Amino acid sequence: VAPHGGAIEPGTSECARALAGSMFSLYVFESLQNPGNRSLHVTSTHFDDPVCLDLISRSALVVTVHGCEGKEEAVFVGGRAGNEKAYLIECLGANGFLALPDRLHRGMYRNNLCNRGMTGAGLQLELSEGLRRSFATDPQTASIGAGCRAQAFVQLVSESLQSLCERRL
């Protein structure tokens, strides 16, 4: 799920699409308005689109993709799925990505979008601006490209999520 896609948090909808691929369900809310996109940013605890809520209510593991500030190339992992969070951080770190528990956007509230799935415990990925730009084919938009780093990230996270879902079933 990319609730702040398009020009709200550039690069998040492209990343969510790439992560979902043909294996996972996908929901993206995209702003096409430019400028003035900040007014379209609905917090994850207040996001209430019925289409999205219906999809995630039937999902074993909900993963939301967000963008955050920061020049460092990092992914901050939040959400209530503690074991899954630790596993993903470990996998990313072992493969050369800076991945840390998210201390700012923790995603711990029960009504956070990532935690509204069947288990009440999901993952929230906050991709720093630096990381999104490192993936970009167009640095001004931070849209994810076909570069080796972007492909490695998407493949690693997708495989990790697939493994996590198989363990849950």
Side-chain angles (χ1 to χ4, degrees):
V1 175
H4 309 129
I8 302 171
E9 292 176 349
T12 59
S13 44
E14 294 87 351
C15 189
R17 280 190 186 91
L19 289 172
S22 62
M23 182 168 301
F24 299 109
S25 299
L26 174 68
Y27 173 90
V28 175
F29 175 82
E30 290 185 298
S31 165
L32 304 177
Q33 178 179 321
N34 201 3
N37 296 301
R38 200 69 193 148
S39 65
L40 298 175
H41 185 281
V42 176
T43 63
S44 290
T45 57
H46 292 100
F47 199 90
D48 64 356
D49 179 28
V51 173
C52 180
L53 297 180
D54 178 58
L55 173 68
I56 65 176
S57 72
R58 297 179 278 114
S59 299
L61 179 64
V62 177
V63 179
T64 57
V65 179
H66 301 266
C68 64
E69 295 180 350
K71 293 184 180 186
E72 75 284 2
E73 295 179 14
V75 57
F76 301 95
V77 185
R80 295 174 63 92
N83 292 336
E84 292 83 349
K85 182 174 17 179
Y87 175 76
L88 187 56
I89 290 170
E90 181 181 326
C91 288
L92 286 165
N95 287 279
F97 290 94
L98 177 59
L100 302 165
D102 197 331
R103 306 259 188 255
L104 183 60
H105 312 98
R106 296 180 26 197
M108 296 298 288
Y109 292 113
R110 289 188 189 281
N111 61 337
N112 184 296
L113 201 53
C114 73
N115 299 320
R116 292 194 225 174
M118 292 177 358
T119 65
L123 295 170
Q124 178 170 291
L125 307 181
E126 292 279 350
L127 309 180
S128 71
E129 184 177 355
L131 183 63
R132 288 178 286 136
R133 288 198 184 280
S134 79
F135 293 164
T137 52
D138 177 357
Q140 295 305 311
T141 64
S143 63
I144 195 165
C148 292
R149 187 154 171 78
Q151 288 177 337
F153 179 84
V154 166
Q155 182 175 351
L156 179 62
V157 174
S158 293
E159 288 174 357
S160 298
L161 294 176
Q162 181 180 4
S163 176
L164 289 169
C165 288
E166 289 170 358
R167 289 182 194 181
R168 283 182 160 211
L169 299 176

